Amino acid sequence: MTTSQRTDGGVHRPSRAVLKLVRALSHRAAELERAPQELRRAAREQITALVRAEATARVRGLPAEELKPFVGRSIRLGTLINAGFPTIGSIEATPRHQLTMIPKVGAQTVDDVLRAAAEYRERLIRNSDVRFDPDHRTPGHTRLLGFLLAIRGADAAVAGLHDQVARFRERSAPLLAKAAPTASALWRWTLPFRPTTRNEARAALVELALLAGESDTLKLADAIGKAERAIDPGAFDPALSWQLYLRDAASVNALLSTLGASDAQEDVARGHLGPELRRKIDAVPLDVGLLKPTLTLRQYQVFGAQYAIHQERVILGDEMGLGKTVQALAVIAHLAAQGQSRFMVICPASVQVNWLNEIDKHSRLRAFSLYGNDRESNTRLWLREGGIAVTTFTTLGRLELTEQVKLSVLVVDEAHQVKNPQTRRAQEVVKVIDRAHRVLFLTGTPMENRVEEFRNLVHHLDPARAALIDPADLLHGAKTFRRQVAPVYLRRNQEDVLKELRDKIEVEDWVRLTPADERAYREAVATGNMMEMRRVLLTSQDSAKLQRLSEIIEEAVEDGRKVIVFSFFLEALSILHRRLGDLAIGPLVGKVSPQRRQAMVDELTDRRGPAVLLSQITTGSLGLNVQAASVVVIADPQWTAGAEDQAIARAHRMGQAHAVQVHRLLAKGSIDERIREVVEEKVLLFNEFARKSDAKSSDARAVDSAFHRPEVLDDPAVPLDHRMIIAERYRLGLA
């Protein structure tokens, strides 16, 4: 038998196998591409079912009185309640005809009450969100978790295989069309008078056979097979699913947030900006092609990036833990995709390594460290190739090669550190601002002490707008202040946008001084040394604070929780480290390198069972993500609410899977009481001017001072710390 005879007579048998193989692979690739959307649809159905089930269960147990706002005054709801139906569930569970038999309860009353119950339930459903609780793992939540993990796998697989699938489809599609007739046993007779077409079909079939056997095709088939297993929600073991969630709760919850955002959430995500500005910002088509598919931007983060791109020079003042870093990366990635090439991040040295890690983890952009021994060589490389230069406030003034470089985007992290325009740090940053097309200040605490500080930050970005702001407005000008800074200041708070974030339980743990405390404290007050007065409360021979701290840690260990302890004083951390032994990690202090700081956080995260990270508050409160800890202890009160909030936000942030317990250790009859008084006044100032942004109610709250001090102690001509020492001396009879 000749080759042509074999080809003509038996070609349909091998052709069927080749065509089937190539078509099947094409079909599987198409199914994989559709998987993210199909999985999202299924996940939304699961979310709806969970929310409805939870709302129904909640409504059933509520008192029937809750329905009063939903029924008219003429409806005899009280009669139903007194007849033995105290809850909504008890009313709904009773047949309608039995309810109508109750004296003075007619059919209209029953119908209106049942309608009100249904309306109440639907309203509750509309305003409800799904939360994962690792301590209460229901089958429904476990199933939803499987869908979310499958979606993440599908997104990553589709993005990772996009180029391979495109090449395979480009080659196989025309060949499949030409070779399709050869699969039929009658193909020789269906094309009897078109030998050219028959030859093309044979040739296409041969090419398909070769394509099917190529190593790239075999690798693609293997990769699709692995992806298919990874995107099956039922393939995830429940225990493994929860383990994966605890390891990366932030990205899982970010994905969840994109599946069920309500109109109210969308409004908050946009900071309740005016409709005209909102429309302009929404019209910015954010290009995230240079961000990795493993990063899911939440809705408010997308808007934050759009806001920064459109407004060009802004303060992103989102509360700590809301992902300001990834919003800045989204801005840079968008502009890089548009062909812009040079970007710079200025940050404290303590978070410089974190920035480099985040850029590598979440983007396809190249980062250059303009810090340390390789600063000059990396600077030349960055100038030649473009990318993101990451430097520090202290290094900035020594970057001579960059003095004339124009920047597409300048990001200043922890921007409150340039609030004083008289400092060299602020002056160096201003020089770079003048060479940047867009500037993005990142800070969760834009105003720590005075409104003037906030105004200074605005001045760096927009001097004309800052000139319109009168710091003397104080609380009475809060509404005006927020309106004036709205075009340059956007802030969202955790409770507004992180619906899944577990509660933060804050406790002030007041202790009474022991005799040893009192002796050490009186001696410190007599010296007039403020730092010594604060320090001895933690380091005396029988410190009441350390006793209480030991109890808190002991309780946390019994519950299997991890703890982070913040203190300003190195001696106190050293004492704690000796007491805790192997349970302790750290201490994380200023002299520890940024790499070692991250290693300490990683050790806390990776430890099985309880552990305690000890950190100096001035070092560990910036740039670190410590979601592994769910107990936070502030061992000594700080002078600003922002300092404590920064520290707490290391744990209570996006990705935290547990409720966070915050303990503030405070000593009665000590300087701690005076510090808390000062901080409470500063909290009021921050809430009115900075926290609200344009995302809260527009009316400034009236605030009455709660201070009752002798006139000499309120004399602004006397430095505050001196007045506080004088107050303590008077109180202790040492004046």
Side-chain angles (χ1 to χ4, degrees), residues 564 601 604 613 620 624-630 650-653 656:
I564 180 167
V601 174
L604 181 76
L613 176 63
L624 296 176
N625 301 328
V626 198
Q627 297 97 322
S630 57
R650 299 310 99 208
H652 192 250
R653 63 193 298 112
Q656 176 57 256

Side-chain angles (χ1 to χ4, degrees), residues 201-216:
R202 291 193 194 98
L205 185 62
V206 171
E207 288 191 54
L208 278 176
L210 293 173
L211 176 62
E214 287 182 3
S215 61
D216 284 349

Side-chain angles (χ1 to χ4, degrees), residues 82-310:
N82 295 332
F85 299 95
T87 65
I88 297 175
S90 63
I91 294 173
E92 289 189 312
T94 305
R96 180 179 178 281
H97 72 275
Q98 290 186 22
L99 294 174
T100 59
M101 294 172 63
I102 299 172
K104 298 182 181 180
V105 175
Q108 185 65 46
T109 293
V110 173
D111 290 342
D112 282 354
V113 169
L114 292 175
R115 174 194 52 75
E119 182 182 339
Y120 189 98
R121 182 184 299 103
E122 290 304 315
R123 181 173 296 190
L124 193 61
I125 289 170
R126 288 194 299 272
N127 295 322
S128 296
D129 299 285
V130 171
R131 286 188 180 188
F132 289 114
D133 185 351
D135 299 324
H136 299 89
R137 306 177 180 185
T138 70
H141 286 86
T142 301
R143 185 164 182 264
L144 175 59
L145 193 50
F147 275 113
L148 296 177
L149 294 172
I151 292 170
R152 285 206 313 173
D155 286 343
V158 169
L161 296 176
H162 177 271
D163 292 343
Q164 291 171 262
V165 169
R167 287 194 298 269
F168 175 76
R169 186 171 286 146
E170 184 180 0
R171 292 181 60 189
S172 64
L175 295 175
L176 283 170
K178 290 180 180 179
T182 65
S184 169
L186 302 176
W187 84 284
R188 291 169 58 203
W189 290 274
T190 59
L191 302 171
F193 303 110
R194 284 175 277 193
T196 303
T197 305
R198 286 204 303 270
N199 291 336
E200 288 179 351
R202 291 193 194 98
L205 185 62
V206 171
E207 288 191 54
L208 278 176
L210 293 173
L211 176 62
E214 287 182 3
S215 61
D216 284 349
T217 304
L218 297 175
K219 289 178 182 176
L220 176 61
D222 183 58
I224 289 177
K226 290 179 180 177
E228 288 169 338
R229 293 188 291 274
I231 67 175
D232 178 8
F236 289 91
D237 174 75
L240 176 61
S241 296
W242 284 100
Q243 184 179 343
L244 292 172
Y245 172 72
L246 289 171
R247 188 181 301 167
D248 194 10
S251 65
V252 175
N253 283 321
L255 176 57
L256 176 63
S257 74
T258 66
L259 299 176
S262 66
D263 292 341
Q265 286 174 280
E266 292 180 10
D267 197 38
V268 171
R270 287 159 173 76
H272 295 297
L273 296 178
E276 183 178 353
L277 181 56
R278 244 176 95 160
R279 282 193 298 270
K280 291 179 180 178
I281 293 171
D282 277 328
V284 175
L286 188 65
D287 188 337
V288 295
L290 291 177
L291 297 178
K292 292 183 178 178
T294 51
L295 174 64
T296 300
L297 290 175
R298 291 169 177 260
Q299 190 174 36
Y300 75 87
Q301 293 172 332
V302 170
F303 184 79
Q306 292 171 315
Y307 175 86
I309 293 166
H310 184 270

Side-chain angles (χ1 to χ4, degrees), residues 553-564:
I553 292 174
E554 185 177 339
E555 292 171 6
V557 168
E558 290 178 357
D559 293 338
R561 289 175 173 264
K562 294 177 180 177
V563 184
I564 180 167

